């Protein structure tokens, strides 16, 4: 895993690390190392969506942060090669990669004294404006390295933020990780998004990956001036789609300009604004994913007025 | 180009049509056929974005529709393989592909008596929920067929709607089309989107593709209840980014729940709502792209109050 330093960006159509030309023994060693790393991790959850811009990275980051706030040991892997958002959302944009004893050290993000282990292609770019112009097989090689060569250590959760669609990145994750626990699918409520998100459900079925549930994000906005509700992207579509396709529905999150602002300010919303109605609602969703009913933002219930 | 009929979806890691094992003569014939098709088309414009969900397909479809309303002969190619939105946005979701004399006939969409020639992977899916789980090289093969085997005929414009990111699809378009005129880059105003969109500018520079300009979409919302402005995704970021990176700025489009609704109702906004403030603003942007000052929605100027 080397730092990209080729001027503006890198165009690679070449052979990935997992080329058939490699020694069979080396391949086997790779596989063993990957399995060993993954065996130390409790639950591995893929956050995906058929549609871009639905808040998938925001969900992945805040899911990781909330689980850490609950006291879990958490890793967060960003496999969005062309548009890595995780470093920016956590204010880690200037971090770079270090190695120790042949392993790549994850970048640490601390919440409430708990370290989240973070890895992203963003840490390998000399300039955040650089474009990673890689074709699929090279991306598969990079994702394999992220899983195999990073010293994740013992974790309760590994949250994997995938780019939109049903292409190389989520496919690579599914093929590389034995015992992936399931996928959280994020959507917005309008039909145009749902067309794509239904494809994500089909993708999971085809690859026999359990769907942990659907989150309907950007579901209505309360006008900060008059308090009236505005259905910017319609509402209820994600819940209906989950019902139609027979997968669990995890909950709705309203549009909240504060979430956008917290992202731009590089401060994860759930850590900096845990008492808001939006945070309460997200916290319940995390509880459903984690399979428990305790809440980081306790005491404020049944306030989901949007 | 065959219809997908393999149950739910298709996983292909295989060799694309452009495999090095094909006869050199056949490759040359392919290239000639591709060049011949493209030589009949005036301007070829790629609509792209580093970030998903910024309204890229909505911009591409409405750009094509507006150009057709101006009397131009227009083609619209959707190269988003995993999440094709063009058929849905034009109400063509039930259309399938037909061939004649060995060529694939584009699906026709008529506005004001002008036919837009449309092609999308969506027309090849038996069920719109099917996921196309293809790796990069197979996608390149499909895009090549879309360009080479479709009887586009003589056109003034070919608008190409690319999926988000700087991966296989936009790269394939750039490598396959000699004389691509340039890229229209769509963004939303928040910094999280701009990080990715700057990568699109870098991508264009690397591939020597002119940037025709940046559109700032979802730039502010007027509350339909009280009329006050809400900066849901911040505002002004796209314009500032364009200035910082030295590329033209084409204009801002506000968030308009009517655009979302028109998409879900499968009616292109510019055709059905040409007199709205949003439509006026979009029309000016199309004029800038086309390099003229005439307007399909004439008479209402300087009303850009958002």
């Amino acid at each position: 895993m080397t730092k990209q330093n080729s001027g503006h960006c890198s165009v690679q159509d070449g052979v990935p690390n997992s080329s058939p030309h490699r020694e069979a023994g080396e391949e086997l060693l790779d596989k063993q190392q990957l399995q060993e790393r993954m065996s130390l991790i409790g639950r591995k959850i893929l956050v995906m969506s058929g549609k871009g811009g639905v808040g998938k990275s925001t969900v992945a980051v805040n899911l990781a942060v909330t689980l850490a706030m609950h006291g879990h040991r958490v890793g967060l892997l960003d496999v969005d090669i062309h548009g890595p958002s995780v470093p920016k959302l956590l204010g880690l944009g200037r971090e770079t990669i270090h190695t120790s004893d042949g392993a790549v050290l994850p970048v640490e993000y601390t919440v409430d004294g708990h370290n989240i282990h973070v890895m992203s292609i963003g840490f390998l770019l000399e300039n955040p404006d650089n474009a990673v112009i890689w074709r699929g097989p090279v991306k598969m090689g990079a994702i394999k390295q992220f899983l195999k060569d990073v010293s994740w250590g013992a974790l309760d959760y590994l949250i994997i933020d995938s780019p939109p669609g049903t292409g190389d990145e989520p496919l690579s994750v599914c093929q590389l990780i034995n015992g992936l626990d399931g996928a959280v699918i994020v959507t917005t409520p309008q039909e145009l998004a749902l067309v794509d998100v239904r494809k994500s459900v089909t993708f999971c079925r085809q690859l026999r990956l359990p769907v942990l549930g659907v989150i309907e994000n950007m579901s209505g906005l309360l006008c900060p001036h008059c308090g009236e509700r505005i259905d910017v992207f319609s509402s209820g579509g994600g819940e209906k789609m989950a019902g139609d396709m027979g997968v669990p529905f995890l909950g709705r999150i309203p549009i909240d300009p504060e979430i956008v602002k917290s992202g731009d300010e590089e401060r994860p919303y759930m850590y900096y604004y845990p008492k808001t109605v939006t945070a309460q609602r997200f916290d319940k969703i995390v509880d459903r994913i984690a399979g428990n009913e305790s809440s980081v933002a306790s005491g404020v219930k049944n306030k989901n007025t949007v």
Side-chain angles (χ1 to χ4, degrees), chain A residues 28-40:
Chain A
L28 190 67
L29 208 69
D30 271 11
K31 206 174 168 185
Q32 280 175 345
Q33 196 179 332
L34 176 63
Q35 281 178 343
E36 218 163 276
R37 292 250 187 247
M38 293 298 110
S39 71
L40 298 173

Side-chain angles (χ1 to χ4, degrees), chain A residues 119-149:
Chain A
M119 186 49 58
S120 167
I121 192 88
F123 300 141
L124 297 163
L125 302 177
E126 287 220 331
N127 180 332
D129 296 347
N130 285 3
V132 178
I133 310 175
W134 288 350
R135 290 199 177 276
V138 185
K139 290 192 274 191
M140 170 97 166
I143 292 170
K144 189 175 177 183
Q145 284 187 283
F146 281 148
L147 292 166
K148 176 180 75 68
D149 296 341

Side-chain angles (χ1 to χ4, degrees), chain A residues 12 18 46 52 61 95-96 101 117 170 175 186 188 201 222 229 259 261 284 298:
Chain A
Q12 295 197 23
S18 57
L46 182 66
V61 162
E95 295 291 331
T96 56
D101 290 336
H117 297 343
Q175 290 178 340
V186 185
T188 48
V201 176
L222 293 186
R229 182 191 167 98
I259 295 184
K261 209 173 138 211
K284 282 190 182 174
S298 57

Side-chain angles (χ1 to χ4, degrees), chain A residues 282-300:
Chain A
F282 188 78
D283 198 44
K284 282 190 182 174
I285 289 173
V286 175
D287 284 343
R288 278 176 205 132
I289 295 169
N292 63 53
E293 293 302 312
S294 72
S295 172
V296 68
S298 57
V300 187

